[in-house]
Amino acid sequence: MALTPAPLTPARIDRFQRQIIVPEIGGAGQAALAGKRVAIVGLGGIGSPALQYLAAAGIGALTVIDDGDVELSNLQRQTIYAQRDIGHGKAVSARRWLANFDAAIDVAVHDARIDGGNADTLLQGHDLVLDGTDNFATRLTVSDACVRTALPLLSAAVGRFQGQVGAFAGHLEGEACYRCFVGDAFDTDDCDTCADDGMLGAMVGWAGTFGALQAIRVLLAGHATLGAPDWGRVFLMDGLKGEMRSFTIAKDPACKVCNSL
């Protein structure tokens, strides 16, 4: 999955000039982003705005993974879709949005459900995986695959007015994986979803855009001065109070995945 970044031609420099002049990014950071390949798992309320802002930042290649179709009820919060997309696959619709937005982005589409049998194959070769799926079983499947394939993971989730965003690198010595955070009890598909609990579009958008910011921070580590990836640091977002706090997850010595390497 070798990536040939789109060169920073005068037109590309003009497109990203507002970002390039940010001292913490600069030309070197912009060139680095053009050479990155990111997989986005789940193209719902979190994945939609995350994809938009990663594309807008100049990420060179995006892999979009979702087996669902667009429904009318999605339009309230899933910002890349329009009424014409209803009934069409989310991954294909996301590719259409990307093609209209920036034809220079290298896009790969997978409209099959990610599971333990295909996760490693789908994710390997990327620089970062951003998970915005809505159930623990899938999130744990993605996390385990990231550990096995030595990939950093940016995980984002929302439940009503509570959001969480964290960066994990369980493949690195001393760093926690997502399973260290939530444990083994959620390896099933029986958790509630937004169809059960309801969801405010702006709340899930906050998690998605903040997830994109944290993803860019991870991708620019070593290339710019935007800040450290903060592995294992989880941000908790409170939409009712308009507040955010964070804490750091320690590596679980009993974790059956990241401590089995």
Side-chain angles (χ1 to χ4, degrees), residues 178-195:
Y178 179 76
R179 188 177 287 275
C180 293
F181 176 31
V182 302
D184 299 329
F186 296 107
D187 283 302
T188 62
D189 286 310
D190 60 356
C191 61
D192 293 338
T193 67
C194 62

mmCIF file of all heavy atoms in Angstrom, residues 178-195:
data_model
loop_
_atom_site.group_PDB
_atom_site.id
_atom_site.type_symbol
_atom_site.label_atom_id
_atom_site.label_comp_id
_atom_site.label_asym_id
_atom_site.label_seq_id
_atom_site.Cartn_x
_atom_site.Cartn_y
_atom_site.Cartn_z
ATOM 1 N N TYR A 178 -6.799 -0.040 23.695
ATOM 2 C CA TYR A 178 -8.186 0.283 24.027
ATOM 3 C C TYR A 178 -8.787 -0.777 24.949
ATOM 4 O O TYR A 178 -9.600 -0.471 25.827
ATOM 5 C CB TYR A 178 -9.006 0.411 22.748
ATOM 6 C CG TYR A 178 -10.465 0.732 22.971
ATOM 7 C CD1 TYR A 178 -10.864 2.013 23.327
ATOM 8 C CD2 TYR A 178 -11.446 -0.245 22.829
ATOM 9 C CE1 TYR A 178 -12.197 2.316 23.533
ATOM 10 C CE2 TYR A 178 -12.782 0.045 23.027
ATOM 11 C CZ TYR A 178 -13.158 1.327 23.381
ATOM 12 O OH TYR A 178 -14.481 1.622 23.599
ATOM 13 N N ARG A 179 -8.370 -2.040 24.780
ATOM 14 C CA ARG A 179 -8.877 -3.102 25.641
ATOM 15 C C ARG A 179 -8.431 -2.901 27.087
ATOM 16 O O ARG A 179 -9.155 -3.278 28.030
ATOM 17 C CB ARG A 179 -8.440 -4.469 25.113
ATOM 18 C CG ARG A 179 -9.080 -5.655 25.818
ATOM 19 C CD ARG A 179 -8.672 -6.981 25.197
ATOM 20 N NE ARG A 179 -9.308 -7.215 23.908
ATOM 21 C CZ ARG A 179 -10.511 -7.748 23.754
ATOM 22 N NH1 ARG A 179 -11.224 -8.095 24.822
ATOM 23 N NH2 ARG A 179 -11.006 -7.951 22.554
ATOM 24 N N CYS A 180 -7.257 -2.326 27.294
ATOM 25 C CA CYS A 180 -6.810 -1.996 28.649
ATOM 26 C C CYS A 180 -7.779 -1.023 29.310
ATOM 27 O O CYS A 180 -7.938 -1.019 30.531
ATOM 28 C CB CYS A 180 -5.420 -1.366 28.619
ATOM 29 S SG CYS A 180 -4.075 -2.434 28.093
ATOM 30 N N PHE A 181 -8.425 -0.196 28.494
ATOM 31 C CA PHE A 181 -9.359 0.817 28.980
ATOM 32 C C PHE A 181 -10.701 0.210 29.359
ATOM 33 O O PHE A 181 -11.219 0.449 30.460
ATOM 34 C CB PHE A 181 -9.518 1.881 27.894
ATOM 35 C CG PHE A 181 -10.515 2.960 28.179
ATOM 36 C CD1 PHE A 181 -10.794 3.395 29.465
ATOM 37 C CD2 PHE A 181 -11.189 3.573 27.128
ATOM 38 C CE1 PHE A 181 -11.711 4.401 29.708
ATOM 39 C CE2 PHE A 181 -12.104 4.580 27.350
ATOM 40 C CZ PHE A 181 -12.366 4.992 28.649
ATOM 41 N N VAL A 182 -11.290 -0.614 28.478
ATOM 42 C CA VAL A 182 -12.659 -1.083 28.716
ATOM 43 C C VAL A 182 -12.744 -2.524 29.189
ATOM 44 O O VAL A 182 -13.809 -2.954 29.647
ATOM 45 C CB VAL A 182 -13.529 -0.906 27.446
ATOM 46 C CG1 VAL A 182 -13.548 0.541 27.012
ATOM 47 C CG2 VAL A 182 -13.039 -1.794 26.314
ATOM 48 N N GLY A 183 -11.666 -3.288 29.069
ATOM 49 C CA GLY A 183 -11.691 -4.670 29.527
ATOM 50 C C GLY A 183 -12.279 -5.629 28.516
ATOM 51 O O GLY A 183 -12.513 -5.287 27.358
ATOM 52 N N ASP A 184 -12.570 -6.840 28.970
ATOM 53 C CA ASP A 184 -13.019 -7.913 28.087
ATOM 54 C C ASP A 184 -14.529 -8.146 28.115
ATOM 55 O O ASP A 184 -15.039 -8.994 27.384
ATOM 56 C CB ASP A 184 -12.346 -9.239 28.488
ATOM 57 C CG ASP A 184 -10.832 -9.168 28.382
ATOM 58 O OD1 ASP A 184 -10.348 -8.415 27.511
ATOM 59 O OD2 ASP A 184 -10.150 -9.855 29.163
ATOM 60 N N ALA A 185 -15.249 -7.397 28.924
ATOM 61 C CA ALA A 185 -16.671 -7.696 29.130
ATOM 62 C C ALA A 185 -17.551 -7.278 27.960
ATOM 63 O O ALA A 185 -18.722 -7.647 27.909
ATOM 64 C CB ALA A 185 -17.158 -7.006 30.405
ATOM 65 N N PHE A 186 -16.997 -6.496 27.023
ATOM 66 C CA PHE A 186 -17.833 -5.938 25.955
ATOM 67 C C PHE A 186 -17.620 -6.607 24.606
ATOM 68 O O PHE A 186 -17.905 -6.026 23.572
ATOM 69 C CB PHE A 186 -17.557 -4.434 25.821
ATOM 70 C CG PHE A 186 -17.947 -3.651 27.041
ATOM 71 C CD1 PHE A 186 -16.970 -3.142 27.890
ATOM 72 C CD2 PHE A 186 -19.278 -3.430 27.341
ATOM 73 C CE1 PHE A 186 -17.328 -2.406 29.013
ATOM 74 C CE2 PHE A 186 -19.640 -2.698 28.459
ATOM 75 C CZ PHE A 186 -18.669 -2.197 29.300
ATOM 76 N N ASP A 187 -17.123 -7.829 24.589
ATOM 77 C CA ASP A 187 -16.903 -8.538 23.330
ATOM 78 C C ASP A 187 -18.202 -9.132 22.773
ATOM 79 O O ASP A 187 -18.263 -10.270 22.356
ATOM 80 C CB ASP A 187 -15.879 -9.664 23.524
ATOM 81 C CG ASP A 187 -14.465 -9.131 23.589
ATOM 82 O OD1 ASP A 187 -14.040 -8.477 22.625
ATOM 83 O OD2 ASP A 187 -13.792 -9.365 24.598
ATOM 84 N N THR A 188 -19.257 -8.341 22.821
ATOM 85 C CA THR A 188 -20.552 -8.774 22.285
ATOM 86 C C THR A 188 -21.201 -7.590 21.579
ATOM 87 O O THR A 188 -20.746 -6.451 21.699
ATOM 88 C CB THR A 188 -21.499 -9.262 23.402
ATOM 89 O OG1 THR A 188 -21.750 -8.170 24.305
ATOM 90 C CG2 THR A 188 -20.889 -10.412 24.167
ATOM 91 N N ASP A 189 -22.278 -7.852 20.858
ATOM 92 C CA ASP A 189 -22.977 -6.799 20.121
ATOM 93 C C ASP A 189 -24.242 -6.338 20.833
ATOM 94 O O ASP A 189 -25.121 -5.753 20.212
ATOM 95 C CB ASP A 189 -23.362 -7.305 18.726
ATOM 96 C CG ASP A 189 -22.169 -7.399 17.796
ATOM 97 O OD1 ASP A 189 -21.444 -6.409 17.712
ATOM 98 O OD2 ASP A 189 -21.981 -8.454 17.173
ATOM 99 N N ASP A 190 -24.353 -6.532 22.137
ATOM 100 C CA ASP A 190 -25.620 -6.266 22.799
ATOM 101 C C ASP A 190 -25.668 -4.907 23.497
ATOM 102 O O ASP A 190 -26.555 -4.650 24.291
ATOM 103 C CB ASP A 190 -25.935 -7.375 23.819
ATOM 104 C CG ASP A 190 -24.864 -7.484 24.914
ATOM 105 O OD1 ASP A 190 -23.859 -6.755 24.831
ATOM 106 O OD2 ASP A 190 -25.056 -8.304 25.835
ATOM 107 N N CYS A 191 -24.716 -4.004 23.189
ATOM 108 C CA CYS A 191 -24.741 -2.703 23.839
ATOM 109 C C CYS A 191 -25.734 -1.782 23.128
ATOM 110 O O CYS A 191 -26.124 -1.999 21.984
ATOM 111 C CB CYS A 191 -23.346 -2.075 23.836
ATOM 112 S SG CYS A 191 -22.680 -1.803 22.196
ATOM 113 N N ASP A 192 -26.151 -0.727 23.831
ATOM 114 C CA ASP A 192 -27.099 0.219 23.252
ATOM 115 C C ASP A 192 -26.440 1.030 22.139
ATOM 116 O O ASP A 192 -25.236 1.236 22.111
ATOM 117 C CB ASP A 192 -27.614 1.179 24.335
ATOM 118 C CG ASP A 192 -28.463 0.461 25.369
ATOM 119 O OD1 ASP A 192 -28.992 -0.613 25.038
ATOM 120 O OD2 ASP A 192 -28.580 0.971 26.492
ATOM 121 N N THR A 193 -27.238 1.521 21.213
ATOM 122 C CA THR A 193 -26.769 2.391 20.144
ATOM 123 C C THR A 193 -27.581 3.678 20.187
ATOM 124 O O THR A 193 -28.513 3.831 20.978
ATOM 125 C CB THR A 193 -26.948 1.724 18.763
ATOM 126 O OG1 THR A 193 -28.345 1.605 18.485
ATOM 127 C CG2 THR A 193 -26.290 0.354 18.736
ATOM 128 N N CYS A 194 -27.234 4.626 19.293
ATOM 129 C CA CYS A 194 -27.961 5.894 19.293
ATOM 130 C C CYS A 194 -29.414 5.701 18.887
ATOM 131 O O CYS A 194 -30.264 6.535 19.198
ATOM 132 C CB CYS A 194 -27.274 6.909 18.391
ATOM 133 S SG CYS A 194 -27.193 6.442 16.654
ATOM 134 N N ALA A 195 -29.740 4.602 18.179
ATOM 135 C CA ALA A 195 -31.129 4.317 17.843
ATOM 136 C C ALA A 195 -31.942 4.037 19.098
ATOM 137 O O ALA A 195 -33.146 4.285 19.141
ATOM 138 C CB ALA A 195 -31.207 3.122 16.893
#
